[in-house]
Amino acid sequence: MNPHAWIYVDAKIDAGIEQWQFETGAPVELVWRGWRKNDLKVGDEVTVEALRAKDGTNTASARMVTLPPGKKVFSGAAGDDAPATTPASAPSTTHE
């Protein structure tokens, strides 16, 4: 079981649509970094800064995501150089 979250994107390109998948950190890391469970909805337009997989597929490790209406959040993925956050300073939340 992979504890990381994934974002699936249909990207518009000149030839049509290209499907991408972006891996982020674990859900608890996303909360520590400012994400909320309703921040990203199906159909939202986002910008993802990421490191593409070495195998050249449309898979990448997300570093930062710009959500509507311009909110920027770090992904919590390994090596993303996000600001340090510890569980002690994280808000207490319950996830479904």
Side-chain angles (χ1 to χ4, degrees):
M1 183 167 124
N2 187 341
H4 295 185
W6 288 83
I7 300 171
Y8 297 93
V9 174
D10 290 332
K12 295 176 188 174
I13 60 170
D14 290 337
I17 300 290
E18 198 171 66
Q19 295 179 331
W20 280 80
Q21 55 186 13
F22 298 94
E23 184 177 19
T24 69
V28 71
E29 288 179 283
L30 298 178
V31 171
W32 294 338
R33 297 188 190 279
W35 288 76
R36 298 297 171 253
K37 68 180 182 178
N38 294 322
D39 278 347
L40 188 60
K41 297 169 191 67
V42 173
D44 281 350
E45 290 189 27
V46 298
T47 301
V48 181
E49 294 178 29
L51 301 171
R52 190 173 194 168
K54 290 181 182 181
D55 65 5
T57 61
N58 291 351
T59 302
S61 176
R63 298 188 62 198
M64 187 183 318
V65 180
T66 304
L67 302 167
K71 177 181 178 180
K72 291 186 178 192
V73 287
F74 287 101
S75 72
D80 67 3
D81 297 326
T85 306
T86 61
S89 65
S92 176
T93 59
T94 304
H95 293 5
E96 298 177 30

